[in-house]
Structures are given as C-alpha cells and as structure tokens.
Amino acid sequence: MSSLVHHITVDCRDAYALATFWSAVTGHPVSPDDQPGDPEALVALPIGPGLLFIEVPEEKAVKNRVHLDLQPDSARDAEVDRLLGIGATLVDDQRRPDGTGWVVLADPEGNEFCVERSAAERAATS
C-alpha cells in the first residue's frame, strides 16, 4: 500500500493572487474554476503534484520547513532576474564564483524557494 502526493498546499492570505504568481513562475495556468476572491486556487502541473493555495487568517511567521527547489529551463541567473521582475524578493544568494550554488527567493507572501542551476549549466560543469 502507498500514497501519491496529489498537491503541495501553501497556506496564504490571497489564494488567487499567489496562484497567479506561481502560474507565472511555472508557465502553467491557474485552474479556470478558480477566481479572484476564492478561498483556494490551484496551479495544476503536467508532471507531479499540483500547487494548491488555501487562504488562512494568520500571516506567515517563521521560515518554511518545506520549500520548493526550482530548476529553470534557461540559465539560473536569467531566471532569478525574471522571478525578481514578477514579484519575488531576494532572501539569500548562495551563488559561488565557479558558477555553482543557488539563490533563495521569496514569493509575494514570503514563502521561500530556491532557484538552482539549469540542467545545461550542471552538465557544463561536470
């Protein structure tokens, strides 16, 4: 017997707004069933669990115990710039002079996530 992870659920203050941000991050749309003001919103991904945003009354208070690691299909640094441009904020920069490392960003509600090197960048340094 086993279970499949169906959704990764994120507590938030504005489900639709945060889903819209993550829709832009992933390139996949917010579910057409979800509208501004709805207490939940889903970004279905073609592979793996969907991202489900659920409104809760409390603000985020501490660092996430679980976070997403993103591997862009383009260069890591270009993706970091793109994400900063759509509303992410820089939390910590772990890039190293040799090109390895990652960048910790936060979404508009403060949920941390990391941007790693692309597969092509990893292959070029191995």
Side-chain angles (χ1 to χ4, degrees), residues 16 19-34 41-46 50-51 53:
Y16 191 82
T20 299
F21 171 81
W22 282 98
S23 172
V25 170
T26 64
H28 297 285
V30 176
S31 170
D33 295 335
D34 299 323
L42 174 67
V43 177
L45 303 175
L51 301 175
F53 301 90

Side-chain angles (χ1 to χ4, degrees), residues 48-125:
L51 301 175
L52 180 62
F53 301 90
I54 304 285
E55 290 184 2
V56 297
E58 62 272 2
E59 296 286 335
K60 180 180 178 294
V62 297
K63 181 180 180 293
N64 295 4
R65 301 267 323 248
V66 174
H67 68 268
L68 301 178
D69 288 340
L70 305 179
Q71 185 179 56
D73 58 8
S74 60
R76 175 199 56 213
D77 295 349
E79 181 66 352
V80 168
D81 290 342
R82 183 183 80 85
L83 297 173
L84 291 169
I86 63 170
T89 55
L90 180 64
V91 174
D92 190 23
D93 192 334
Q94 292 291 322
R95 291 176 279 196
R96 298 183 192 107
D98 67 358
T100 61
W102 64 93
V103 178
V104 182
L105 300 177
D107 69 20
E109 291 205 14
N111 300 298
E112 298 90 359
F113 62 97
C114 294
V115 182
E116 301 177 346
R117 294 179 297 155
S118 69
E121 289 171 309
R122 287 174 182 269
T125 60

